[in-house]
Amino acid sequence: MNKIMYLEFERCIGCRACQAACRECGDHDAKERNYVEYVDFTESRQTFPMLCMQCKDPACARVCPANAIQITEEGVVLSAMEEKCIGCRNCTFGCPFGIPKFDFEKNKMYKCDMCYDRTREDIAPMCASVCPSDAIRFIDFDEMQQLRRRRTQMNLVEGKKPQEGNKWDYVPEFFGVYTDSQS
Amino acid sequence: MFKLEKSFYSKTSMYSFFTILILFLSMWVSTAQFLHIDMALLGYMIGSAVFAIGLVIRMSFWLFRTATNKIATRSVKNMFAKERLKRNAKSLGITLIDNILLQKFIFKRGLYRGIQHIMISWGCIISFAFTFGLTFGWFRFDLVDPETYQMVAFNIPLISMAANGWIAEIFYNMLNIGAVMVLIGVSMAMYRRFKDYDVKVTQRFEFDLLPLYILLAVTVTGLALTVSYKFLDGWMHPYISLIHQITVIIMLMYFPFGKLFHVPIRPLATAVPMSYQETLMVDTKTCKSCAQPYSNDDQIADVQAILKAQSFDLQLADGTYLSDYCPSCRRRMRALKQMNMEAPQGNPYGPVNTNNGIHISGFGKKRSDEYFGIDEDIKKDLKEEKDHEPISR
């Protein structure tokens, strides 16, 4: 798997298509595993999508007392193995990003597995394939580098180079302004 | 204890040694100084001893893990706390009956899966109990007189039964009953593994299918033994019995290292109601940021200790840890961090200023002049004009 997930939070329009798509994915049992949330509902309607980072050394797996969270050879951190998960929810508290979800009824944890059946064949995960505003993208590593470079350039072009003292005045740099993705 | 440990190669070897010692002594007692040992089961006996060592090694390594160790030590400590007696009894009872005896949570995942699992697990438990009991001589059946059998457990005579009675018949066929249960369960599981696309997503041959094949081999050869001596006058019986012995030993060797190892680690589920969440979906610890309950203090303390022991640095500038916040606030913090939108000063738990002076929330506020990029003199003109503008827009 040479591709990566690329998120641009400020591109999110809050349509929740990614969540609907996630529910349709194989082995997801009609439950979404990603999040679309408001940055601050009292201030603006800006939403952001959130998925698992697929850490190299995942905190969730480290805090699991049953050793139930496994990492595939491609580096995808899978949901807790159903036969091992004892339902203690340590993973939901250990995860620095608050990703794992817990099903109290079935007594098991489930989390974003990047649609493992798709991504292991280099097909974009469900969320990335439906996102209408390209907030979630499944792209090559090189393309990601290019996009990131472009973002810094755009900042400079617009004269909005954030300083340490005033960066919060200018950010988010692309709030509602879409990056040029023609490159 | 430390001195004793030093005389062994490792902790695991010490535990293995004592396990074998206890097994040997239990055999010594229950077979009346090896008088009643069943030599026909010698292969199973050696296989079971190696299985015990494998199990001890795997269990030890599992318990040495930081996370497991933490929850296990807390549970053991809580178990003997007087004020928690009622809670412990309740948790143990619920886990034993609901989760192990009836396996309710698997039935909630689907009726098919529930039946499949309860068949395999209880079939295996019955067969294991009977096999280990007989091979280690923990219990045996003595012929008191030609009409009566007597069950002897740990060399203590227990119940007597008629040799042709229905109780005796159940005991004779205990392994057959177990085998039929496992056969039904394994066939159901294999059908599901082959047909269900959802399962195939994360399924691995050596982890998910191999144990089914091994269990199938054991049950089929075991039932073939019964078929052979009941209906075929013992045709091929010695060979089938040898094949059965081989398959059982393969299963015993596989047990501690594959999927079946979930059986001995599963009872840790008791620790959840006992040490962490007493009632399902009722939380007591509140989030530092949004003040919503999301967990309880003991569990968060454990999680933080586990992460600290494994050098995860998840402490924020103000001394709090990420696990002090509820998952939803943690997600928000990450997004804010990424978008460089965190509150720069003042109360870090207060509302976030998403107003950048360009994209304005609501109609009551004005954009900053900077946004329009208008020169100073034009701005001056505009300001003069503004004086004559109507108030309402």
Side-chain angles (χ1 to χ4, degrees):
Chain A
M1 203 157 62
N2 292 319
K3 298 207 163 189
I4 53 134
M5 291 288 273
Y6 188 68
L7 297 188
E8 280 177 281
F9 294 139
E10 52 271 49
R11 277 173 170 264
C12 180
I13 56 171
C15 66
R16 292 165 203 277
C18 48
Q19 293 192 300
C22 190
R23 286 195 286 271
E24 300 295 325
C25 187
D27 203 26
H28 284 200
D29 205 14
K31 285 197 179 73
E32 76 261 10
R33 299 180 171 196
N34 49 4
Y35 302 86
V36 174
E37 285 172 348
Y38 288 98
V39 174
D40 188 346
F41 191 77
T42 55
E43 285 283 338
S44 77
R45 294 302 105 96
Q46 177 64 35
T47 50
F48 62 90
M50 188 59 80
L51 318 166
C52 177
M53 301 270 279
Q54 316 290 350
C55 308
K56 281 265 185 301
D57 185 6
C60 56
R62 292 286 189 170
V63 297
C64 177
N67 200 8
I69 300 171
Q70 304 282 312
I71 306 161
T72 67
E73 53 194 1
E74 296 93 345
V76 173
V77 184
L78 295 175
S79 300
M81 296 154 100
E82 288 183 6
E83 69 275 0
K84 280 190 189 171
C85 177
I86 59 166
C88 68
R89 293 198 297 154
N90 263 4
C91 46
T92 59
F93 307 130
C95 174
F97 312 115
I99 299 298
K101 293 192 176 192
F102 192 76
D103 186 338
F104 280 98
E105 198 185 339
K106 294 180 182 175
N107 193 31
K108 63 178 184 184
M109 162 275 218
Y110 58 103
K111 67 175 278 298
C112 166
D113 54 4
M114 262 176 96
C115 301
Y116 184 58
D117 52 340
R118 294 169 67 88
T119 46
R120 80 175 154 200
E121 314 288 349
D122 264 1
I123 306 170
M126 293 299 262
C127 52
S129 60
V130 298
C131 183
S133 60
D134 272 358
I136 309 170
R137 274 184 274 184
F138 188 65
I139 51 177
D140 287 330
F141 184 80
D142 295 337
E143 198 183 343
M144 181 269 286
Q145 292 287 56
Q146 216 169 14
L147 280 170
R148 287 178 62 173
R149 241 174 274 131
R150 192 159 192 87
R151 270 179 81 118
T152 0
Q153 286 166 3
M154 288 288 278
N155 278 351
L156 292 171
V157 165
E158 295 193 4
K160 288 201 285 183
K161 189 180 177 188
Q163 305 283 310
E164 189 49 44
N166 66 350
K167 57 185 177 190
W168 55 90
D169 289 342
Y170 297 115
V171 292
E173 314 98 281
F174 285 85
F175 204 95
V177 182
Y178 293 143
T179 45
D180 178 14
S181 57
Q182 245 100 70
S183 55
Chain B
M1 192 68 193
F2 183 71
K3 228 177 173 179
L4 185 68
E5 201 185 301
K6 280 282 154 198
S7 50
F8 286 94
Y9 182 78
S10 65
K11 262 188 184 173
T12 44
S13 60
M14 181 176 74
Y15 296 147
S16 309
F17 174 75
F18 283 115
T19 310
I20 292 299
L21 200 67
I22 289 166
L23 270 181
F24 190 80
L25 287 177
S26 74
M27 281 178 74
W28 170 271
V29 170
S30 48
T31 55
Q33 288 89 50
F34 298 118
L35 188 68
H36 296 285
I37 196 159
D38 193 347
M39 287 312 278
L41 301 176
L42 189 68
Y44 293 106
M45 199 173 75
I46 296 167
S48 305
V50 179
F51 160 75
I53 294 172
L55 204 60
V56 166
I57 290 171
R58 275 291 277 136
M59 286 293 275
S60 310
F61 276 112
W62 177 64
L63 279 169
F64 293 155
R65 292 182 76 241
T66 324
T68 320
N69 207 317
K70 209 89 208 165
I71 188 169
T73 37
R74 184 182 284 279
S75 303
V76 170
K77 209 171 77 190
N78 286 345
M79 186 116 77
F80 300 108
K82 276 224 172 71
E83 64 275 14
R84 279 175 172 256
L85 212 63
K86 201 177 157 194
R87 181 176 171 176
N88 288 346
K90 202 180 150 205
S91 331
L92 277 171
I94 287 175
T95 315
L96 196 70
I97 293 168
D98 279 4
N99 291 357
I100 293 171
L101 205 70
L102 302 174
Q103 298 164 3
K104 276 187 185 166
F105 64 101
I106 302 175
F107 279 95
K108 278 177 191 155
R109 292 174 190 174
L111 185 66
Y112 186 90
R113 291 176 67 182
I115 294 169
Q116 161 204 317
H117 190 270
I118 211 161
M119 282 289 179
I120 297 179
S121 65
W122 277 105
C124 282
I125 289 170
I126 290 171
S127 318
F128 268 79
F130 228 68
T131 314
F132 288 143
L134 289 175
T135 44
F136 292 127
W138 287 338
F139 60 85
R140 61 172 189 273
F141 297 94
D142 279 346
L143 203 58
V144 183
D145 57 70
E147 288 296 303
T148 325
Y149 259 126
Q150 190 178 44
M151 191 173 154
V152 184
F154 293 100
N155 216 18
I156 304 160
L158 288 176
I159 45 172
S160 300
M161 55 196 128
N164 288 323
W166 61 273
I167 303 174
E169 206 61 45
I170 288 175
F171 275 116
Y172 301 153
N173 286 311
M174 201 62 122
L175 281 172
N176 286 335
I177 295 166
V180 168
M181 282 173 80
V182 174
L183 192 64
I184 294 168
V186 165
S187 317
M188 285 171 85
M190 275 168 70
Y191 180 77
R192 177 166 166 267
R193 289 269 164 205
F194 290 141
K195 285 282 166 196
D196 194 336
Y197 284 106
D198 284 354
V199 190
K200 281 185 179 173
V201 173
T202 49
Q203 170 176 295
R204 282 180 288 153
F205 172 78
E206 76 282 5
F207 192 81
D208 295 304
L209 289 174
L210 189 64
L212 292 179
Y213 294 145
I214 292 174
L215 282 175
L216 190 71
V218 172
T219 44
V220 166
T221 50
L223 286 172
L225 277 176
T226 310
V227 171
S228 165
Y229 75 72
K230 269 253 153 78
F231 306 114
L232 304 173
D233 298 328
W235 180 72
M236 294 274 281
H237 195 277
Y239 305 105
I240 300 173
S241 105
L242 199 65
I243 294 168
H244 181 60
Q245 198 160 332
I246 290 167
T247 55
V248 169
I249 289 170
I250 287 173
M251 186 190 62
L252 289 175
M253 298 295 104
Y254 172 82
F255 190 100
F257 304 101
K259 189 172 192 173
L260 301 174
F261 186 65
H262 76 271
V263 178
I265 71 172
R266 198 69 220 180
L268 190 72
T270 328
V272 181
M274 200 158 77
S275 310
Y276 291 161
Q277 196 177 37
E278 190 170 7
T279 352
L280 205 66
M281 299 175 85
V282 175
D283 293 316
T284 49
K285 188 184 164 73
T286 51
C287 170
K288 268 255 169 20
S289 169
C290 64
Q292 295 290 315
Y294 74 104
S295 179
N296 56 77
D297 296 302
D298 283 356
Q299 183 155 16
I300 294 301
D302 271 3
V303 166
Q304 283 170 1
I306 294 163
L307 288 173
K308 196 168 182 156
Q310 300 185 84
S311 326
F312 275 88
D313 183 17
L314 301 178
Q315 197 171 19
L316 305 181
D318 60 346
T320 55
Y321 290 87
L322 273 172
S323 40
D324 288 326
Y325 301 87
C326 69
S328 134
C329 283
R330 258 177 275 155
R331 289 193 290 275
R332 213 166 63 96
M333 282 158 87
R334 174 182 161 200
L336 293 181
K337 192 91 187 162
Q338 203 114 331
M339 294 198 274
N340 205 4
M341 278 169 65
E342 285 171 306
Q345 58 237 6
N347 181 9
Y349 315 123
V352 177
N353 182 19
T354 55
N355 190 343
N356 54 10
I358 295 167
H359 298 89
I360 302 297
S361 57
F363 300 104
K365 298 170 198 161
K366 281 180 183 163
R367 281 181 168 140
S368 67
D369 291 340
E370 196 188 338
Y371 169 75
F372 300 102
I374 305 166
D375 292 338
E376 282 299 314
D377 49 331
I378 302 171
K379 210 184 282 176
K380 210 175 175 183
D381 293 346
L382 280 171
K383 207 168 190 184
E384 277 165 14
E385 216 173 299
K386 230 175 220 173
D387 294 337
H388 311 292
E389 260 185 344
I391 297 163
S392 71
R393 286 192 217 206

XYZ file of all heavy atoms in Angstrom, chain B residues 72-129:
471
model
N -4.812 -6.606 36.011
C -4.857 -7.823 36.827
C -4.517 -7.510 38.284
O -5.204 -7.963 39.205
C -3.902 -8.867 36.268
N -3.471 -6.684 38.501
C -3.101 -6.366 39.885
C -4.203 -5.560 40.565
O -4.510 -5.795 41.731
C -1.785 -5.565 39.949
O -1.738 -4.663 38.864
C -0.579 -6.465 39.922
N -4.797 -4.634 39.820
C -5.878 -3.860 40.433
C -7.055 -4.771 40.793
O -7.646 -4.626 41.864
C -6.358 -2.764 39.486
C -7.407 -1.875 40.136
C -7.912 -0.824 39.203
N -7.011 0.290 39.001
C -6.895 1.321 39.836
N -7.584 1.357 40.937
N -6.071 2.305 39.560
N -7.363 -5.712 39.911
C -8.485 -6.607 40.173
C -8.207 -7.500 41.380
O -9.087 -7.713 42.212
C -8.763 -7.467 38.952
O -9.003 -6.651 37.856
N -6.973 -8.015 41.469
C -6.640 -8.884 42.601
C -6.732 -8.086 43.895
O -7.252 -8.562 44.916
C -5.229 -9.491 42.407
C -4.772 -10.185 43.676
C -5.245 -10.474 41.258
N -6.235 -6.842 43.839
C -6.291 -5.993 45.029
C -7.744 -5.710 45.434
O -8.110 -5.774 46.612
C -5.559 -4.669 44.751
C -4.949 -4.052 46.000
C -4.067 -2.880 45.639
C -4.884 -1.655 45.300
N -4.100 -0.565 44.715
N -8.574 -5.419 44.420
C -9.985 -5.135 44.700
C -10.739 -6.361 45.189
O -11.685 -6.244 45.955
C -10.678 -4.604 43.445
C -10.272 -3.181 43.145
O -9.712 -2.509 44.007
N -10.534 -2.727 41.943
N -10.285 -7.519 44.689
C -10.989 -8.759 45.024
C -11.019 -8.981 46.531
O -12.003 -9.469 47.083
C -10.286 -9.927 44.336
C -11.017 -11.227 44.493
S -11.588 -11.873 42.941
C -10.122 -12.539 42.222
N -9.912 -8.619 47.212
C -9.822 -8.901 48.645
C -10.143 -7.690 49.514
O -9.908 -7.710 50.717
C -8.437 -9.464 48.978
C -8.154 -10.733 48.240
C -7.243 -10.766 47.194
C -8.827 -11.902 48.568
C -7.007 -11.934 46.497
C -8.593 -13.075 47.872
C -7.684 -13.080 46.837
N -10.666 -6.633 48.868
C -11.083 -5.481 49.665
C -12.453 -5.751 50.268
O -13.382 -6.157 49.560
C -11.122 -4.234 48.789
N -12.546 -5.541 51.576
C -13.785 -5.912 52.290
C -14.994 -5.115 51.801
O -16.083 -5.648 51.638
C -13.595 -5.659 53.799
C -12.920 -6.811 54.504
C -13.626 -7.116 55.815
C -13.106 -8.388 56.472
N -11.742 -8.238 57.016
N -14.767 -3.792 51.578
C -15.911 -2.947 51.251
C -16.433 -3.223 49.834
O -17.489 -2.734 49.461
C -15.541 -1.466 51.404
C -14.471 -0.952 50.462
C -13.053 -1.194 50.976
O -12.905 -1.979 51.926
O -12.109 -0.615 50.422
N -15.685 -4.014 49.055
C -16.122 -4.286 47.694
C -16.731 -5.681 47.549
O -16.959 -6.157 46.440
C -14.923 -4.180 46.744
C -14.598 -2.769 46.370
C -13.335 -2.722 45.532
N -13.110 -1.401 45.016
C -13.345 -1.065 43.744
N -13.803 -1.940 42.906
N -13.102 0.165 43.338
N -16.987 -6.324 48.685
C -17.415 -7.718 48.670
C -18.666 -7.927 47.818
O -18.722 -8.819 46.978
C -17.673 -8.183 50.107
C -17.373 -9.655 50.379
C -15.901 -9.962 50.162
C -17.768 -10.020 51.803
N -19.639 -7.057 48.030
C -20.917 -7.214 47.332
C -20.733 -7.004 45.823
O -21.245 -7.774 45.011
C -21.908 -6.189 47.897
C -23.358 -6.550 47.650
C -24.278 -5.525 48.292
C -25.632 -5.534 47.624
N -26.408 -4.347 48.006
N -19.957 -5.956 45.523
C -19.722 -5.641 44.114
C -18.984 -6.785 43.419
O -19.310 -7.172 42.296
C -18.895 -4.349 44.043
C -18.598 -3.900 42.643
C -17.876 -2.578 42.646
N -17.407 -2.273 41.301
C -16.817 -1.157 40.961
N -16.632 -0.219 41.859
N -16.422 -0.944 39.735
N -17.973 -7.340 44.112
C -17.195 -8.432 43.525
C -18.061 -9.644 43.257
O -17.987 -10.247 42.183
C -16.065 -8.841 44.474
C -14.981 -7.801 44.535
O -14.936 -6.913 43.693
N -14.135 -7.895 45.521
N -18.876 -9.996 44.243
C -19.724 -11.181 44.091
C -20.654 -11.001 42.896
O -20.828 -11.906 42.077
C -20.528 -11.411 45.363
N -21.204 -9.787 42.794
C -22.127 -9.503 41.698
C -21.414 -9.605 40.343
O -21.915 -10.222 39.406
C -22.719 -8.109 41.894
C -24.034 -7.912 41.177
C -24.570 -6.505 41.423
C -25.380 -6.053 40.231
N -25.425 -4.594 40.129
N -20.211 -8.981 40.261
C -19.483 -9.005 38.994
C -19.115 -10.424 38.607
O -19.244 -10.817 37.444
C -18.196 -8.187 39.082
O -18.311 -7.156 39.991
N -18.627 -11.188 39.598
C -18.222 -12.566 39.306
C -19.420 -13.378 38.834
O -19.319 -14.106 37.837
C -17.623 -13.211 40.563
C -16.152 -12.899 40.830
C -15.743 -13.396 42.202
C -15.267 -13.539 39.771
N -20.536 -13.205 39.531
C -21.735 -13.959 39.158
C -22.195 -13.622 37.760
O -22.455 -14.521 36.947
N -22.230 -12.316 37.458
C -22.711 -11.897 36.142
C -21.787 -12.416 35.054
O -22.239 -12.967 34.045
C -22.836 -10.355 36.089
C -24.041 -9.919 36.908
C -22.980 -9.875 34.653
C -24.195 -8.428 37.030
N -20.472 -12.269 35.262
C -19.534 -12.726 34.233
C -19.641 -14.225 34.039
O -19.630 -14.720 32.906
C -18.095 -12.364 34.633
O -18.071 -11.040 35.104
C -17.154 -12.516 33.466
N -19.736 -14.952 35.133
C -19.764 -16.412 35.050
C -21.021 -16.886 34.326
O -20.944 -17.717 33.417
C -19.702 -17.006 36.463
C -19.333 -18.476 36.543
C -17.875 -18.675 36.175
C -19.586 -19.014 37.940
N -22.161 -16.344 34.714
C -23.425 -16.854 34.152
C -23.693 -16.252 32.772
O -23.894 -16.973 31.798
C -24.591 -16.567 35.124
C -24.396 -17.401 36.403
C -25.919 -16.929 34.482
C -25.296 -17.022 37.543
N -23.641 -14.912 32.693
C -24.019 -14.274 31.430
C -22.975 -14.456 30.338
O -23.311 -14.684 29.184
C -24.240 -12.769 31.654
C -25.613 -12.494 32.226
O -26.317 -13.472 32.503
O -25.966 -11.319 32.385
N -21.701 -14.319 30.711
C -20.673 -14.284 29.674
C -20.030 -15.632 29.405
O -19.603 -15.901 28.289
C -19.572 -13.282 30.051
C -20.080 -11.868 29.996
O -21.219 -11.640 29.627
N -19.249 -10.922 30.376
N -19.917 -16.488 30.420
C -19.224 -17.760 30.186
C -20.229 -18.903 30.035
O -20.152 -19.686 29.093
C -18.197 -18.026 31.303
C -17.070 -16.983 31.205
C -17.613 -19.431 31.186
C -16.097 -16.979 32.334
N -21.201 -18.963 30.928
C -22.164 -20.069 30.868
C -23.120 -19.897 29.676
O -23.274 -20.792 28.858
C -22.941 -20.134 32.176
C -23.521 -21.484 32.553
C -22.426 -22.459 32.922
C -24.485 -21.341 33.724
N -23.737 -18.733 29.591
C -24.761 -18.534 28.554
C -24.233 -17.780 27.337
O -24.833 -17.812 26.280
C -25.956 -17.761 29.146
C -26.648 -18.401 30.340
C -27.698 -17.462 30.894
C -27.312 -19.706 29.929
N -23.113 -17.086 27.492
C -22.485 -16.335 26.397
C -23.488 -15.401 25.714
O -23.625 -15.385 24.503
C -21.880 -17.313 25.397
C -20.806 -18.149 26.052
C -20.428 -19.367 25.263
O -20.933 -19.579 24.179
N -19.527 -20.160 25.801
N -24.149 -14.600 26.534
C -25.203 -13.731 26.018
C -24.682 -12.735 24.992
O -25.357 -12.425 24.023
C -25.853 -12.966 27.176
C -26.938 -13.760 27.885
C -27.650 -12.888 28.886
C -28.646 -13.670 29.701
N -29.101 -12.930 30.870
N -23.472 -12.223 25.230
C -22.984 -11.156 24.338
C -22.753 -11.671 22.932
O -22.846 -10.908 21.971
C -21.720 -10.502 24.907
C -20.539 -11.419 25.018
C -19.532 -11.379 24.069
C -20.439 -12.302 26.061
C -18.435 -12.211 24.179
C -19.347 -13.149 26.165
C -18.350 -13.110 25.224
N -22.482 -12.968 22.778
C -22.300 -13.500 21.420
C -23.657 -13.662 20.739
O -23.789 -13.431 19.547
C -21.518 -14.817 21.449
C -20.171 -14.594 22.117
C -21.296 -15.346 20.047
C -19.363 -15.815 22.321
N -24.683 -14.021 21.522
C -26.024 -14.106 20.943
C -26.490 -12.745 20.471
O -27.255 -12.634 19.524
C -26.999 -14.702 21.963
C -26.926 -16.206 22.023
C -26.144 -16.845 22.965
C -27.624 -16.975 21.095
C -26.066 -18.225 22.994
C -27.545 -18.355 21.133
C -26.771 -18.985 22.079
N -26.006 -11.685 21.144
C -26.380 -10.342 20.702
C -25.708 -9.992 19.383
O -26.163 -9.119 18.655
C -26.006 -9.316 21.768
C -27.054 -9.245 22.855
C -26.646 -8.293 23.941
C -27.555 -8.433 25.143
N -26.908 -8.004 26.374
N -24.596 -10.665 19.072
C -23.926 -10.418 17.789
C -24.614 -11.200 16.674
O -24.252 -11.068 15.513
C -22.451 -10.836 17.880
C -21.655 -9.947 18.799
C -20.254 -10.466 18.991
N -19.585 -9.736 20.067
C -18.391 -10.037 20.530
N -17.716 -11.034 20.015
N -17.851 -9.344 21.506
N -25.546 -12.056 17.020
C -26.258 -12.833 16.006
C -26.619 -14.197 16.563
O -25.789 -14.814 17.241
N -27.821 -14.661 16.252
C -28.275 -15.953 16.768
C -27.409 -17.085 16.225
O -26.978 -17.985 16.957
C -29.738 -16.165 16.373
C -30.400 -17.422 16.935
C -30.508 -17.338 18.445
C -31.778 -17.626 16.327
N -27.091 -16.995 14.916
C -26.276 -18.031 14.271
C -24.928 -18.159 14.973
O -24.493 -19.240 15.339
C -26.092 -17.664 12.801
C -25.398 -18.717 11.977
C -26.118 -19.707 11.337
C -24.009 -18.705 11.817
C -25.493 -20.665 10.576
C -23.375 -19.661 11.049
C -24.119 -20.637 10.431
O -23.482 -21.592 9.686
N -24.291 -16.993 15.172
C -22.973 -16.997 15.809
C -23.066 -17.493 17.237
O -22.165 -18.155 17.744
C -22.371 -15.600 15.775
C -22.007 -15.168 14.393
C -21.518 -13.750 14.392
N -20.257 -13.604 15.100
C -19.645 -12.451 15.269
N -20.178 -11.350 14.801
N -18.508 -12.382 15.907
N -24.170 -17.138 17.911
C -24.344 -17.565 19.298
C -24.426 -19.069 19.407
O -23.716 -19.693 20.204
N -25.276 -19.671 18.555
C -25.435 -21.131 18.590
C -24.112 -21.793 18.244
O -23.654 -22.716 18.924
C -26.545 -21.559 17.608
C -27.897 -21.036 18.078
C -26.592 -23.075 17.472
C -29.001 -21.167 17.057
N -23.465 -21.278 17.194
C -22.191 -21.828 16.742
C -21.162 -21.808 17.870
O -20.505 -22.810 18.158
C -21.736 -20.990 15.552
C -20.283 -21.065 15.197
C -19.865 -19.811 14.445
O -20.582 -19.345 13.561
N -18.732 -19.261 14.791
N -21.074 -20.663 18.556
C -20.047 -20.551 19.591
C -20.380 -21.380 20.818
O -19.497 -22.010 21.399
C -19.844 -19.088 19.983
C -18.647 -18.889 20.851
N -18.714 -18.959 22.224
C -17.349 -18.677 20.551
C -17.505 -18.778 22.717
N -16.655 -18.605 21.732
N -21.639 -21.399 21.206
C -21.982 -22.150 22.414
C -21.781 -23.648 22.166
O -21.354 -24.392 23.059
C -23.419 -21.809 22.871
C -23.495 -21.923 24.396
C -24.471 -22.689 22.244
C -24.657 -21.211 25.016
N -22.021 -24.091 20.944
C -21.787 -25.503 20.592
C -20.294 -25.835 20.704
O -19.908 -26.805 21.355
C -22.256 -25.767 19.147
C -23.743 -25.917 19.023
S -24.273 -27.465 19.753
C -26.020 -27.379 19.523
N -19.461 -24.998 20.045
C -18.027 -25.281 20.064
C -17.497 -25.206 21.495
O -16.794 -26.099 21.966
C -17.255 -24.296 19.156
C -17.692 -24.444 17.708
C -15.760 -24.541 19.268
C -17.006 -23.501 16.757
N -17.861 -24.121 22.203
C -17.231 -23.920 23.510
C -17.657 -24.995 24.499
O -16.797 -25.590 25.172
C -17.572 -22.532 24.043
O -18.940 -22.436 24.284
N -18.958 -25.292 24.567
C -19.366 -26.294 25.562
C -18.958 -27.694 25.145
O -18.603 -28.509 26.009
C -20.860 -26.179 25.870
C -21.034 -25.101 26.874
C -21.511 -23.858 26.666
C -20.625 -25.146 28.248
N -21.432 -23.106 27.821
C -20.900 -23.892 28.803
C -20.042 -26.112 29.048
C -20.609 -23.574 30.130
C -19.763 -25.812 30.370
C -20.051 -24.557 30.893
N -18.951 -27.967 23.849
C -18.423 -29.251 23.387
C -16.976 -29.420 23.803
O -16.568 -30.475 24.317
N -16.182 -28.341 23.589
C -14.765 -28.390 23.942
C -14.584 -28.515 25.453
O -13.744 -29.288 25.915
C -14.038 -27.148 23.441
S -13.668 -27.213 21.705
N -15.379 -27.758 26.213
C -15.209 -27.797 27.673
C -15.516 -29.202 28.194
O -14.759 -29.770 28.983
C -16.087 -26.723 28.351
C -15.524 -25.336 28.078
C -16.153 -26.965 29.859
C -16.431 -24.192 28.503
N -16.605 -29.794 27.698
C -16.956 -31.159 28.127
C -15.830 -32.122 27.765
O -15.339 -32.895 28.603
C -18.279 -31.599 27.453
C -19.459 -30.808 28.033
C -18.504 -33.087 27.620
C -20.756 -31.020 27.286
N -15.367 -32.046 26.503
C -14.340 -32.992 26.061
C -13.042 -32.785 26.821
O -12.394 -33.760 27.231
C -14.084 -32.825 24.561
O -15.284 -32.666 23.879
N -12.656 -31.506 26.986
C -11.415 -31.230 27.705
C -11.492 -31.747 29.141
O -10.556 -32.386 29.623
C -11.124 -29.725 27.719
C -10.263 -29.275 26.582
C -10.799 -29.077 25.328
C -8.914 -29.034 26.767
C -10.005 -28.666 24.274
C -8.121 -28.623 25.717
C -8.675 -28.446 24.456
N -12.607 -31.455 29.788
C -12.743 -31.878 31.181
C -12.622 -33.393 31.279
O -11.900 -33.918 32.149
C -14.089 -31.422 31.734
